[in-house]
């Protein structure tokens, strides 16, 4: 008999039923592919590193899906499975790099179909932290921002703190973001925020990427958190409406609730 006082979801999470079944990692990966036929083709092209197939798959998917859905539910979904296989030592760095390239080819095609040409809502400076070569998540967040009508000044990856500060002074954005996937690089964002604050530039400094969590992002002045790329335009909207970094923190849950 089921005891209604026990929260079984927590027990299932603790004893991860999916990871402990008898399927091979490859079989688990195949099951994680999207069920929609067009998106499955797109995600499979990334998962199996098919350079020649990603273009036709994205073009076909554009007939039935919005470009941003193809990016998030097809290309990024494929890359998430790749990350899982990497964690389970089925894929190694060469596969990761090839899959990431395939994903980028697909994003470039889908991105062209995102409605553009509108007057910009505002400018954001984005970068991957000093010492950090991981820029896939940042690139996706940049696509989301452009699609939502913002101008993105993308400084790229492994960007020295000084270059970030110089760009902020020159471009005068309403917000700056840094991405870190390595624990060794995340402190660069804290350092950058401290310099900005010292110079009286009190714009929100969004800290994101796999190495970062909300506690870290909110451990330094100006710092705000974004867990997933689609949260960025939701937070940007509030900053433009006048929220400072403290208010974004206070209302974070309700702001990103829809992402
Ligand atoms: C792809 C990858 C690489 C690629 C990067 C290619 C590229 N152009 O980005 C390459 C092969 C270059 C690489 C290299 C290395 N990597 Co690597 N890599 C990964 C991997 C497998 C996937 C990361 C990824 O892109 N995922 C897909 C994206 C979509 O997910 P994401 O970045 O998490 O993004 C999501 C959110 O975090 C968020 N987000 C991310 N960025 C941003 C930005 C903004 C503004 C917003 C709002 C949101 C946001 O939104 C996304 C979802 O919506 C991870 C493992 C993992 N599971 O994360 C390891 C990982 C990050 N790498 C790792 C390491 C150690 C390295 C190397 C040092 C390995 C080595 N020994 O050489 C080198 C770096 C060497 C150097 N210093 O130059 C470690 C980091 C460990 C740590 N905690 O420090 C990881 C975690 C692997 C592991 N488990 O050990 N890597």
């Amino acid at each position: 008999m089921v005891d209604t006082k026990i929260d079984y979801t927590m027990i299932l999470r603790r004893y991860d039923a999916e990871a402990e079944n008898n399927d091979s990692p490859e079989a688990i990966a195949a099951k994680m592919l999207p069920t929609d036929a067009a998106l499955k083709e797109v995600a499979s092209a990334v998962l199996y590193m098919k350079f020649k197939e990603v273009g036709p798959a994205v073009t076909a998917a554009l007939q039935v899906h919005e470009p941003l859905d193809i990016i998030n539910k097809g290309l990024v979904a494929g890359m998430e499975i790749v990350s899982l296989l990497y964690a389970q030592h089925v894929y190694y760095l060469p596969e990761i790099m090839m899959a990431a390239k395939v994903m980028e080819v697909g994003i470039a095609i889908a991105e062209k179909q995102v409605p553009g040409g509108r007057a910009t809502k505002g400018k954001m400076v984005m970068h991957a932290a000093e010492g950090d070569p991981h820029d896939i998540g940042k690139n996706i967040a940049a696509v989301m921002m452009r699609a939502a009508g913002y101008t993105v000044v993308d400084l790229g990856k492994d960007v020295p703190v000084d270059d970030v500060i110089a760009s902020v002074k020159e471009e005068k954005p309403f917000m700056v973001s840094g991405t870190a996937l390595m624990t060794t690089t995340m402190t660069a964002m804290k350092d950058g925020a401290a310099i900005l604050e010292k110079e009286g530039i009190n714009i929100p400094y969004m800290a994101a990427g796999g190495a970062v969590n909300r506690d870290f992002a909110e451990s330094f002045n100006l710092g705000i958190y974004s867990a997933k790329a689609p949260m960025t335009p939701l937070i940007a909207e509030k900053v433009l409406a006048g929220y400072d970094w403290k208010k974004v923190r206070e209302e974070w849950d309700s702001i990103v609730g829809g992402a």
Side-chain angles (χ1 to χ4, degrees):
M1 202 173 121
V2 174
D3 184 340
T4 49
K5 285 184 224 121
I6 297 174
D7 182 355
Y8 286 96
T9 57
M10 295 313 290
I11 294 171
L12 289 174
R13 202 168 301 152
R14 168 67 183 84
Y15 299 101
D16 190 336
E18 187 181 46
E20 289 183 8
N21 69 21
N22 290 324
D23 284 348
S24 66
E26 291 91 334
I28 295 172
K31 276 188 202 160
M32 287 170 70
L33 283 166
T35 47
D36 175 273
L39 295 176
K40 186 175 180 179
E41 286 296 310
V42 172
S44 299
V46 176
L47 176 57
Y48 301 115
M49 299 156 282
K50 304 279 188 195
F51 279 93
K52 285 188 186 150
E53 288 169 24
V54 70
V58 169
T59 307
L62 282 165
Q63 306 301 314
V64 278
H65 292 286
E66 294 295 325
L68 286 181
D69 282 342
I70 295 169
I71 293 173
N72 281 318
K73 298 177 190 167
L75 296 160
V76 174
M79 195 65 208
E80 279 169 0
I81 306 173
V82 169
S83 297
L84 177 91
L85 290 181
Y86 179 76
Q88 298 190 347
H89 310 292
V90 177
Y91 275 5
Y92 291 91
L93 283 183
E95 284 93 346
I96 291 284
M97 292 175 83
M98 282 196 282
K101 280 281 165 217
V102 172
M103 185 186 75
E104 281 170 17
V105 170
I107 287 181
I109 299 168
E111 197 180 4
K112 281 195 196 117
Q113 304 304 320
V114 173
R118 292 162 289 175
T120 181
K121 290 182 186 167
K123 195 188 280 180
M124 178 169 177
V125 167
M126 303 180 83
H127 74 286
E130 183 163 356
D132 206 314
H134 299 92
D135 65 352
I136 297 172
K138 184 261 298 162
N139 294 345
I140 296 165
V143 170
M144 304 276 145
M145 284 299 283
R146 290 195 184 104
Y150 295 90
T151 299
V152 172
V153 178
D154 187 345
L155 303 180
K157 53 191 166 188
D158 183 12
V159 184
V161 172
D162 289 347
D163 291 2
V164 177
I165 306 300
S167 174
V168 168
K169 284 181 179 168
E170 191 183 328
E171 302 287 352
K172 301 189 175 32
F174 67 91
M175 181 159 77
V176 56
S177 78
T179 305
L181 269 82
M182 293 159 66
T183 40
T184 46
T185 62
M186 56 200 266
T187 48
M189 297 183 273
K190 191 175 177 174
D191 296 345
I195 297 173
L196 288 182
E197 194 186 26
K198 204 169 153 204
E199 305 226 4
I201 306 171
N202 290 309
I203 56 171
Y205 201 121
M206 179 183 282
V212 177
N213 60 20
R214 190 173 170 187
D215 282 347
F216 172 77
E218 297 186 357
S219 68
F220 53 91
N221 286 353
L222 307 191
I224 58 168
Y225 182 53
S226 179
K228 288 181 182 287
M231 292 176 177
T232 323
L234 300 176
I235 295 170
E237 204 177 295
K238 296 296 179 191
V239 175
L240 282 181
Y243 283 33
D244 63 6
W245 53 274
K246 289 180 190 158
K247 192 149 187 220
V248 171
R249 284 185 190 180
E250 275 162 28
E251 298 194 12
W252 194 85
D253 290 307
S254 68
I255 296 171
V256 303

